[in-house]
Amino acid sequence: MMGLFRKLSDRGMLGMNRRNISYIGRYNERSKYPLVDDKRLTKQIAVEANLNVPNLLAVVDEQSKVRSIHQMVQGHEGFVIKPAKGSGGKGILVILRRDGDNYVKSNGDVVSRSDVERHLSNTLSGLFSLGGTPDVAVVEALIDFDPAFADYSFEGVPDIRIIIFQGFPVMAMMRLATRASDGKANLHQGAVGVGLDIAQGKTLRAVQYNQPVKHHPDTGAELAQLNVPHWRTMLDLAAGCYDITGLGYMGADIVLDQKKGPMLLELNARPGLSIQIANGEGLLPRLRHIEQSNLDFATVKERVDYAVENFTN
């Protein structure tokens, strides 16, 4: 482990303090945080900018509406409940289908109508939210994830995290759910992180628990064969989030729907640093490159073209 971090330090690893002071503190205006900390607002500005996002089915913002959830999702076999101000995947309830009056979660567990109502009440109370403050629940359509990833994830939906700096995509990784992560794309819980080449969306290397892995631990799929479809569209989608938020340093989380293509799932003004371990490269050289180049590109296409040309591995 020490050897890995020493190697990354030599390759320009961005540490927590420098990230907070030199990038988040310097390039992200606090007044703009609500645009990404509140998933309801993020979805609103993304829709206004014609960015592709999962369909919004309902918003539950009062306790009196909790018992109406079953009518709100009527006609939808599956759906997802999220706390608008949640973080780290906490409080996300994924319902795959119905089983009579009950619901079936992504891990196969069956929950009752009252279980779903209780989850909504806990969400409204702030149990899953930043700072534990009262929240609202966002109910979205289920992602019909692309079968291209079927062999690369266990139960959960794989997502792609792209770091955007001053509107340029600078580093990317795919997060693959595992049995250990309980079907969640959370690296700290045991998901696999796959570093991706910015130019082509192909695997560079993969890690689980910060250790290199060559195969998915549950499916056995060879991770080196992973090649993300619609890669250029994903880069354009992520880079466009700079224009709608004005945040200079952030992470864009994207999923690939089988019918609707790449979709923006959420944004993060304080993206984690483990993407560097997945890529085997530090962020600092790329961030400094942007800072020192005095680039003046107005369009998403120009910024993505530049990143593809300069940040390929």
Side-chain angles (χ1 to χ4, degrees), residues 8 86 229 247 253 303:
L8 282 173
L247 290 169
D253 295 343
R303 299 196 300 264

Side-chain angles (χ1 to χ4, degrees), residues 174-189:
M174 191 163 192
R175 299 181 292 197
L176 308 176
T178 66
R179 186 188 301 273
S181 71
D182 194 26
K184 297 178 180 175
N186 187 319
L187 267 58
H188 298 295
Q189 295 178 352

Side-chain angles (χ1 to χ4, degrees), residues 137-163:
V138 175
V139 186
E140 292 180 340
L142 194 65
I143 300 295
D144 183 12
F145 85 90
D146 196 289
F149 301 141
D151 292 334
Y152 294 101
S153 192
F154 178 80
E155 293 182 348
V157 176
D159 72 0
I160 293 98
R161 160 68 58 87
I162 301 177
I163 299 295

Side-chain angles (χ1 to χ4, degrees), residues 41-56:
L41 282 179
T42 304
K43 186 180 288 289
Q44 180 182 327
I45 60 174
V47 168
E48 290 171 357
N50 291 319
L51 300 186
N52 202 13
V53 296
N55 288 340
L56 178 66

Side-chain angles (χ1 to χ4, degrees), residues 231-306:
W231 182 242
R232 174 67 194 220
T233 303
M234 291 190 183
L235 292 179
D236 290 346
L237 179 59
C241 294
Y242 170 72
D243 300 291
I244 64 172
T245 65
L247 290 169
Y249 182 82
M250 64 182 163
D253 295 343
I254 294 171
V255 293
L256 182 58
D257 186 276
Q258 182 175 196
K259 298 175 181 173
K260 300 181 179 179
M263 294 178 139
L264 175 65
L265 203 57
E266 61 182 64
L267 297 171
N268 192 321
R270 314 164 193 80
L273 297 168
S274 55
I275 192 171
Q276 300 173 109
I277 298 173
N279 277 264
E281 294 283 343
L283 276 162
L284 267 179
R286 299 182 187 190
L287 300 178
R288 285 172 172 163
H289 177 104
I290 298 294
E291 287 179 306
Q292 295 168 2
S293 297
N294 295 317
L295 302 168
D296 186 23
F297 294 151
T299 69
V300 166
K301 181 181 184 306
E302 289 173 324
R303 299 196 300 264
V304 173
D305 284 347
Y306 187 87

Side-chain angles (χ1 to χ4, degrees), residues 89-102:
K90 296 176 184 175
I92 296 178
L93 177 62
V94 180
I95 299 297
L96 286 186
R97 58 185 173 84
R98 296 163 190 267
D99 181 10
D101 286 339
N102 296 321

Side-chain angles (χ1 to χ4, degrees), residues 52-181:
N52 202 13
V53 296
N55 288 340
L56 178 66
L57 302 182
V59 173
V60 179
D61 53 4
E62 297 177 5
Q63 184 62 36
S64 61
K65 297 180 180 177
V66 165
R67 300 185 73 175
S68 301
I69 180 64
H70 313 291
Q71 288 74 44
M72 293 176 181
V73 297
Q74 203 164 25
H76 297 275
E77 186 68 9
F79 55 92
V80 181
I81 297 175
K82 298 177 178 179
K85 298 177 183 176
S87 66
K90 296 176 184 175
I92 296 178
L93 177 62
V94 180
I95 299 297
L96 286 186
R97 58 185 173 84
R98 296 163 190 267
D99 181 10
D101 286 339
N102 296 321
Y103 298 98
V104 180
K105 295 169 55 178
S106 56
N107 62 3
D109 289 349
V110 177
V111 294
S112 66
R113 291 163 65 99
S114 59
D115 288 332
V116 172
E117 293 168 13
R118 189 178 308 111
H119 185 85
L120 280 170
S121 294
N122 287 336
T123 300
L124 296 182
S125 72
L127 183 64
F128 311 116
S129 305
L130 290 167
T133 55
D135 203 352
V136 303
V138 175
V139 186
E140 292 180 340
L142 194 65
I143 300 295
D144 183 12
F145 85 90
D146 196 289
F149 301 141
D151 292 334
Y152 294 101
S153 192
F154 178 80
E155 293 182 348
V157 176
D159 72 0
I160 293 98
R161 160 68 58 87
I162 301 177
I163 299 295
I164 304 298
F165 180 55
Q166 298 291 78
F168 295 83
V170 293
M171 192 168 282
M173 73 170 169
M174 191 163 192
R175 299 181 292 197
L176 308 176
T178 66
R179 186 188 301 273
S181 71

